[in-house]
Amino acid sequence: MPRSERLLHLLQVLRRYRRPVSGQTLAEELGVSIRTLYRDIASLQAQGAMIEGEPGVGYVMKPGFMLPPMMFRSEELDALVLGMRWVADRCDKTLSDGALSTLAKVAAVLPTELRRELEESSLLVGAPLKRPTHKVSPDLLRAAVRAERKLNITYADGRGFNSQRVVWPFALVYFDQARVLMCWCELRADFRNFRSDRISNVEQMEERYPKRRSTLLREWRKAHHVASRTILPDSGSMDH
């Protein structure tokens, strides 16, 4: 493994630990000697990485350190370009502008060779079959999720019948053909998923819901036996 790639791997490993981790553990995970590990940490510290610790005590990296531009591998650039292009093509204007701005900022700090690779990427996003129409601003839904605020929504089920719900929104899932608001529904006293294109009216309430959104997401995954990488199964628990 090239040294630059090894240093990147070391940074990524350190980011996973919130408490000091021993040099021996880091060396074993990277497949290097403890002496090489100490030299790599010293090199990263010299480049500005905020890694604290010492041999025999352990090491921890303070949050906020940005990766140097040369630390992107080709597959990481491919993932970044494809993901940002998907968001720019599939999402609302706020997220679309954010994706394009992110790509521009990354390109601006990349070395010439990597910038050319990013700009000439041949990973493209196909056009969706049908774009759903929405009566409610997705900005409002995202804001409610971030603020952990209850929402009072008017929702039409698959047969077109309207109901009034007070929900605790904790995630917003993006599919090609729909966006799905994941919530705890006070009416059903259970988790429910609501297609955002079927929400005709929404009011953000002043009251915050009593749990953290991360807690609700963990409870949802546990209740539905969903792995941590999976956001929402195709069947879901859509409220009809």
Side-chain angles (χ1 to χ4, degrees), residues 31 44 72 103 116 119-120 129 135 141 147 150 156 166 207 212 220 232:
L44 288 172
F72 284 107
L103 276 180
R116 187 180 303 115
E119 292 172 345
E120 296 177 356
L129 297 176
K135 298 178 181 179
L141 300 180
K150 292 184 179 183
V166 173
E207 183 181 1
R212 299 303 304 270
W220 177 86
L232 192 66

Side-chain angles (χ1 to χ4, degrees), residues 173 182 217-234:
V173 187
M182 299 176 64
L217 184 56
R218 284 196 300 269
E219 291 178 354
W220 177 86
R221 283 180 170 140
K222 183 178 180 180
H224 293 82
H225 308 287
V226 176
S228 60
R229 283 194 172 193
T230 304
I231 299 300
L232 192 66
D234 290 339

